Amino acid sequence: MNYGFVIDARKCIGCHACTVACKSENEVPLGVNRTWVKYVEKGTFPDTRRYFTVLRCNHCAEPPCVAICPVEALQKRPDGIVDFDSRRCIGCKACAQACPYNALYIDPDTHTSAKCNYCAHRKEVGLQPACVAVCPQQAIVSGDLDDPSSKIATLVACERTVVRKPEKGTSPKLFYINGDGASLDPMEAPLQEEYHWSAQSRGVGHFAGKGKGAPGIEKPAHASNTAGPKARRVYDIPSKGAVWGWEVPAYVTAKAVSSGVFLVFAALLAVFRMELAPTLQWAAWSVSLLFLALTGGFLIKDLDRPDRFSSVMLRPQFGSWLVKGGLTITGYGAFLALWGASRLLQIPALETAALWGGALFALVTAIYTAFLFGAAKGRDFWQSPMLLLHMLLNSLLAGGSAMLMLGLGTGSPSELLGLLRQLLTAGFGLHIVIMLLELYGQHPSAGAERAAEIIREGSLKNQFWAGSFLGGNLLPLLVTLFSSDPLMLAAAALLGLCGVFYTEKVWVQAPQRIPLS
């Protein structure tokens, strides 16, 4: 079987019976929804019309939430239902980033992900999903899409249907008859600050978690209450805000420092054939190890169920880049430990092997986050082909800045400091070019362009232009280009490290301010 849904917008009256039935049947807490109804109005009085759109999980044939989940808490069943097991979920929220349809949420009671699961417990005993059974207009139709005699297969075959975001390649199985573009496209009718009967205060629903104070969805700077052809969103569920908070940019920054320091350290020894003092070598190793530990700490801190973190290694889903990243970090940590042990025991052959192995794992550690973000199909801005170079450059800048500070602190010779200056000058200049290309270049979708606009001229503009561009890249570039004063170089290195954090912060936050439903 291949279960799916059809929503007949010609019949829907916006009564919310489906929402209430879903909440009652599945004991969905206040503040979150598995099924909800969005109202969009078009036209100018008296020539207006209101459209009702039922939104929920699309039970995709190629579900990105299943692919990104590190612990197989989400799975696609043989009958086509995308189900979840809250007993396995670690609360990493990657599935919410991967879903282009805003279908997943964090349950405020269990602190695990949840969504519509087609009322699988009812289907297994021959009953319809609760929303289908309760709909007074029979506007929701469920059934086997592969059975040509079923009502749903007949509707899909004979009626003109549309799906949401087909360009994502997920093959959604939630079809709309007479679906309105302004209702299905979240960019056409901007979110409002609040809606009648749907406002909530802090401490309810999504915000009952760790209280990160995540910002909500941001309207375009040029938007008023209208967008496109007089389309207005007049009723919807409250914004889920940012799914990933400050811990994620902190983790990316700590990872960049750890991997970048060891990459620069290995390059100085193996490529540039520099003679590094033992004090500097041990300092570089210690910093790499310390920031690798911080990376793991920030990763665990971001989980809503940190008590289940070991499941990533003990019950992994090897297709997930979260698991691949965890294995990479573990391997990198093992090579760091091996280098330290071989150095302490004075085993040169093992030390050389650990250096090359550690450098390889440091390189993968630096860039794997680009593939993780790329798997988050709900965030168009992260689909940029330049993200891998972005991550690599940030790691090299963080590592080069930290190595320059360590070199200054350990009294390294001017030859080494001069080389680090040159490398940082080239790195800052190239990073500025890459950032401007990412922000001002051609974007594949309106969502990606809107995220770039938020960074360039929206609510994140001060953090980007002051913290990342000016303070974190341009000023350090000018200092390393024109000055050799140790204090100035130390200040430039410190600014470079701050710039890496601010860059990652705005790159993580901006796409999450784009509505997905």
Side-chain angles (χ1 to χ4, degrees), residues 434-481:
I434 294 299
M435 287 194 301
L436 294 180
L437 285 175
E438 286 189 273
L439 293 179
Y440 289 96
Q442 189 71 31
H443 294 98
S445 69
E449 173 58 35
R450 177 70 192 110
E453 181 187 326
I454 290 174
I455 296 174
R456 296 192 313 254
E457 53 195 86
S459 60
L460 296 176
K461 64 179 181 181
N462 291 336
Q463 294 185 54
F464 171 71
W465 290 112
S468 175
F469 184 83
L470 178 62
N473 283 275
L474 185 58
L475 284 179
L477 170 63
L478 296 175
V479 170
T480 56
L481 189 61

Side-chain angles (χ1 to χ4, degrees), residues 280-299:
L280 179 59
Q281 293 192 40
W282 281 113
W285 176 80
S286 300
V287 168
S288 295
L289 200 61
L290 172 63
F291 277 86
L292 187 65
L294 288 174
T295 300
F298 287 129
L299 275 172

Side-chain angles (χ1 to χ4, degrees), residues 337-418:
L338 182 61
W339 186 91
S342 58
R343 177 77 176 177
L344 185 65
L345 298 175
Q346 298 183 351
I347 309 176
L350 188 59
E351 182 182 337
T352 301
L355 181 71
W356 283 102
L360 176 61
F361 271 81
L363 177 63
V364 181
T365 298
I367 65 175
Y368 84 81
T369 316
F371 297 100
L372 170 61
F373 282 12
K377 290 190 175 182
R379 309 299 178 184
D380 293 354
F381 188 68
W382 293 340
Q383 312 304 309
S384 168
M386 301 183 73
L387 191 60
L388 188 147
L389 182 57
H390 170 103
M391 291 292 177
L392 178 59
L393 273 174
N394 267 324
S395 289
L396 293 178
L397 284 176
S401 298
M403 280 297 293
L404 181 57
M405 295 180 71
L406 292 175
L408 290 168
T410 56
S412 297
S414 58
E415 181 185 3
L416 172 61
L417 298 179

